[in-house]
Each structure stands twice: as C-alpha cells, then as structure tokens.
Amino acid sequence: MRIDLLEDDPDQAEMISHWLTEEGHDVRCYRSGGDLTRALHRDVPDVLLLDWVLPESSGMDVLTWVRQSFLGRIPVVFITAQDSEEHVVAALQAGADDYLVKPPRRRELLARVQAVGRRAGAIQPAEVLQGTDPYVVDVGHRVISLRGKSVELTSKEFDLAAYMFANAGRLVKRGVLLERVWGRSQTITTRTVDAHISRIRKKLEIDESNGWRLISVYQHGYRLERAA
Amino acid sequence: MANEVIPEALRRRYIDSFPAKSAALDEAAQGLSAGGVEALSALRLQAHKLAGSAGMYGFDDLGHLAREVVHAIDAGAGLPVLSAMVQSLAAGLTSAHAAVE
C-alpha cells in the first residue's frame, strides 16, 4: 500500500518507515501538517498515519482537514504518545479509524495498518489472484509474473494491473480506476490512466499470444478479458 | 519490545544521539531553575519525543522515565520533583550510551 506518515521526530519516522517498507509498503514521510496536506493535493495514499503533537498544526487539525476535504474516507491511524482516554475518544470521534499509543509495537502496527487498508478496500483479501494464468498476480508481494518470469512494474502500474486482473471480464470505468489506483487526487487526469494502461499492456505483453486482451471501450473505460 | 528486530545501523544512530538528547534535557532543566515557561515547554517536547521513540529502539526503561516526566509536567509537579526526574532521565541516556561505547 501507499502510506503517508506524518511524524516530526526523525528517530520515530525512520523506524516506522523501516517497518512498513520492510513489509512491502511504499512510505512517504512528512514532518509538518502543511507539507502533508500539500502532498495530498497531488496524490492520495491508501492509509494515513498521523502523529498528534507537531510543531505547527496538530495531527487533529490534519484529520479535521482530511475529513472535510475531497479526500473523503481515506483511512487514518493515529500513532501518538497522547495516551489518555480523552485523546483516544476525541480522535475516534473526529473520524480516525484506529489509534495506537507510542511506542508502537511493530507487529501490532503492521497488523492495524493492514486491517484499515483491508477495510477500505486497498488490500485484496487473497494474496494471489485466481484464474489469471499464464500470469501470477501476487498481491501480497506486489509482483506479477508471466510464465514464471516476474515483470518489472512501477507501484502504480502494479496497482492498476492487479485491479484489472481482479476485475477481469468487467468493464471498468476510467473514473473508477482513477479513484482506486490514484485516490481522488485532483491533479491526475484520465489521460494518466490511458498512459498507464498502455504501459501495462506492453510490459505484461497482454495480447492473444498470452490468452488475454485489454480492450478500450470508447467513452467508458477498459475491460481485461480472455482472448477467445 | 525485546522480541523486535532492530536494524543495527538504526539502533546505533539512535544511541549516538543520546549525548545531544541528554545535553538538551540538562539545558531545559537549567532553564526551569531560572523560572522559564519556554523551558518547561521545551522540556515537555523533548521528553514527549523520547517517550515515543525509546521503546521502539529497545530502550523501554528510558521511554517509561520520559513518559513520567511528561505526566509530571502535565500534573503541575514542582521544580524539585521535575529536576530530579530530568536528572534521572539524562543519567539514563548517558549510561546507555556509555554501555555501548
């Protein structure tokens, strides 16, 4: 998953980021609420991790902004040393999806991040998609291989390809792909989707020789389907 | 946290920061003696960060001490109590650093 971490203490940011990266997540760290909110205008992550006490705006300020903004229901987890019942209740009532008191324990943090991502639909329940041969779409390890050979894809290309394979046979609208793969970023257009579709078609060699085709349905979207 | 695998490079970098953290605590404690409100705020922030990070790097005792400092400040503890706690925390950082040197 793509995870944005708001943490002003470099010691903590480094360790949390290490844990998440080691687990295969793509992590971006921000030290202030301003930096994070500016980044969220460009690109929306799957999960947002917020510290509470920050030098400028607080984690609660950021949470309030997120819930009132175009970002909608992006999952938010607080990781904070604020350990009173009042703080936990205030954060959850303001729209946080989960709350961890520092110091976080590695496995618990990873499990909670996984859980909120799963509830939000960012993670497919199955680790490897079924019925995609000769491709193997390993969602857990974020790898797609063709006839046993892994194909090099960027993070977004993987997300897009995995989403198309998970919805094989269905017409998927560009707007849906934009939301599921890029989040609801205002600066990404459907042309970006078209460009990525073109790239995954080429990189994964999706054509009749491999038993699949990825077709464009004019003015609607794309369908990945078995070649007859 | 003892069962967590902590990369040696990260742990080493964290330990290397102990002298600076200890010095900052000392400085804030001295500011407290001079009656500075800003010093209290700075001390709380340093203890707060330490409370968050120490346990992640396997220094649970330091994390507990730091958290106690935060709680003592929030509870309006007096200068003698706070000074003693800060000295204890700074000494803990110094000895943890010395232990790996």
Side-chain angles (χ1 to χ4, degrees):
Chain A
M1 284 188 292
R2 255 284 315 288
I3 298 172
D4 281 3
L5 168 64
L6 177 59
E7 171 59 70
D8 66 313
D9 180 11
D11 294 330
Q12 296 174 55
E14 193 165 33
M15 186 60 88
I16 293 171
S17 178
H18 168 76
W19 287 343
L20 292 166
T21 304
E22 200 177 42
E23 201 67 10
H25 299 298
D26 179 13
V27 185
R28 295 186 310 191
C29 297
Y30 300 93
R31 297 183 70 168
S32 76
D35 289 346
L36 173 62
T37 52
R38 276 188 290 279
L40 289 173
H41 275 109
R42 295 191 299 271
D43 201 3
V44 181
D46 295 312
V47 175
L48 200 50
L49 305 181
L50 301 179
D51 185 16
W52 189 306
V53 178
L54 297 158
E56 298 164 14
S57 52
S58 73
M60 276 295 274
D61 293 334
V62 173
L63 173 62
T64 303
W65 179 84
V66 165
R67 288 294 177 247
Q68 292 173 349
S69 73
F70 61 93
L71 297 165
R73 284 306 310 168
I74 177 174
V76 174
V77 179
F78 263 98
I79 307 177
T80 171
Q82 305 285 47
D83 56 358
S84 74
E85 184 181 9
E86 286 76 15
H87 281 100
V88 178
V89 170
L92 294 175
Q93 286 184 337
D97 295 278
D98 207 345
Y99 195 103
L100 275 165
V101 174
K102 290 178 180 176
R105 292 173 291 192
R106 183 180 64 87
R107 286 185 302 160
E108 181 181 358
L109 168 68
L110 296 173
R112 287 183 184 275
V113 167
Q114 197 85 357
V116 295
R118 190 169 55 238
R119 286 200 293 271
I123 299 172
Q124 302 289 335
E127 289 289 293
V128 177
L129 299 182
Q130 301 298 307
T132 61
D133 61 295
Y135 298 93
V136 174
V137 183
D138 186 337
V139 179
H141 294 96
R142 297 181 63 77
V143 172
I144 298 179
S145 51
L146 171 58
R147 299 186 201 286
K149 188 177 177 187
S150 67
V151 180
E152 196 169 321
L153 298 170
T154 66
S155 179
K156 287 291 181 227
E157 287 165 358
F158 173 83
D159 290 342
L160 181 60
Y163 190 82
M164 293 306 298
F165 273 109
N167 291 280
R170 297 185 192 136
L171 172 64
V172 182
K173 293 182 177 175
R174 285 183 177 83
V176 171
L177 289 173
L178 256 184
E179 182 176 320
R180 294 304 176 97
V181 177
W182 281 268
R184 291 171 193 156
S185 173
Q186 291 176 322
T187 55
I188 302 294
T189 68
T190 52
R191 282 199 297 276
T192 304
V193 177
D194 296 338
H196 277 71
I197 286 283
S198 176
R199 281 206 289 273
I200 64 169
R201 188 187 277 129
K202 189 174 178 184
K203 285 186 175 182
L204 292 170
E205 300 172 41
I206 299 174
D207 55 34
E208 300 206 356
S209 70
N210 286 317
W212 289 87
R213 61 184 167 215
L214 179 50
I215 60 171
S216 170
V217 180
Y218 182 63
Q219 288 192 332
H220 286 282
Y222 292 96
R223 184 189 296 121
L224 177 65
E225 61 187 17
R226 290 278 185 188
Chain B
M1 299 293 292
N3 61 337
E4 304 292 11
V5 178
I6 300 167
E8 186 51 34
L10 292 190
R11 184 177 157 88
R12 182 70 231 189
R13 197 152 58 230
Y14 186 65
I15 293 170
D16 285 345
S17 73
F18 283 1
K21 286 180 167 67
S22 179
L25 286 169
D26 282 338
E27 190 180 332
Q30 283 168 18
L32 279 184
S33 304
V37 177
E38 285 181 6
L40 187 65
S41 173
L43 175 61
R44 191 189 186 285
L45 185 60
Q46 284 158 22
H48 174 81
K49 285 185 176 178
L50 204 48
S53 64
M56 295 170 70
Y57 287 85
F59 295 95
D60 291 4
D61 292 346
L62 290 175
H64 290 311
L65 276 173
R67 193 174 302 275
E68 283 175 12
V69 171
V70 173
H71 287 161
I73 293 171
D74 291 347
L79 182 58
V81 173
L82 271 184
S83 294
M85 292 175 83
V86 172
Q87 278 176 16
S88 173
L89 181 55
L93 285 166
T94 303
S95 70
H97 182 257
V100 296
E101 287 299 307

